[in-house]
Amino acid sequence: MAYWLLKSEPSSYSWERLVADGRTNWDGVRNPQALNNLRAMKLGDRAFFYHSNEGKEIVGVAKVVRTFYPDPADKGGKLGMIDIEPVMPAAVPVGLKAMRANPDLSDLSLLKQSRLSVCPITDKEWSVLCKMTGVPPDTEDAKNR
DNA sequence: GCCAACGTTGGC
DNA sequence: GCCAACGTTGGC
């Protein structure tokens, strides 16, 4: 399983709205690098949900429920989207400052490339962030327990 | 609201 | 295909 981080401005699409919707299609990604990441996602992959601009913190965990498919509105056929569902909120929202302050996260792509809206996260970074957010590393297990 | 960093566009 | 100009993003 791979791990990711999805970034969104709360004013355009917030975690609260994702929870209310129960599921959403993650579209509107234009950056080629971010699109590549979207394409690489597999069913069941986990992603932290990060609020940029307002809040600037990780607020929850989502999972991929549909892999990449093309955006019908895009004539060029380059754009596409995935579908995600909320898994659980972060018990402790983790802000940028806290991530910067943690040496284990110094390679985090979010910190290095602040403009990349879909970034990969390593297994190690995932477990570190899970500890910080108070999220069980294996959220599927936690749900079935 | 400002500004730095980064992406994209368009003229050559 | 290069590169300057411009637009956008996102942290502060």
Side-chain angles (χ1 to χ4, degrees):
Chain A
M1 173 177 325
Y3 304 107
W4 311 91
L5 185 141
L6 296 172
K7 219 167 27 172
S8 178
E9 295 192 34
S11 55
S12 62
Y13 196 93
S14 67
W15 168 256
E16 287 75 18
R17 197 161 144 211
L18 175 62
V19 171
D21 290 349
R23 173 177 178 145
T24 195
N25 47 321
W26 201 257
D27 63 357
V29 175
R30 312 187 111 257
N31 182 303
Q33 217 180 328
L35 279 170
N36 272 342
N37 290 335
L38 278 190
R39 256 185 270 270
M41 290 186 186
K42 299 197 180 72
L43 277 185
D45 277 2
R46 295 300 142 109
F48 279 116
F49 196 102
Y50 173 80
H51 276 170
S52 66
N53 250 321
E54 287 171 60
K56 281 172 290 183
E57 57 192 11
I58 290 172
V59 285
V61 178
K63 71 173 173 182
V64 178
V65 290
R66 182 171 175 188
T67 52
F68 190 87
Y69 56 103
D71 186 345
D74 172 41
K75 295 178 194 114
K78 284 178 183 167
L79 303 184
M81 62 190 104
I82 57 164
D83 288 0
I84 58 168
E85 276 180 8
V87 175
M88 62 180 296
V92 184
V94 172
L96 256 199
K97 266 190 177 176
M99 292 190 256
R100 281 236 160 82
N102 190 330
D104 288 337
L105 299 176
S106 56
D107 285 335
L108 202 64
S109 42
L110 171 73
L111 303 179
K112 290 182 150 179
Q113 249 181 301
S114 64
R115 297 193 54 189
L116 188 58
S117 57
V118 182
C119 357
I121 286 189
T122 66
D123 288 359
K124 190 189 160 205
E125 287 159 354
W126 177 263
S127 63
V128 170
L129 284 170
C130 280
K131 270 182 204 153
M132 293 173 77
T133 51
V135 167
D138 192 331
T139 42
E140 203 55 53
D141 270 9
K143 217 164 61 172
N144 297 336
R145 205 169 284 148

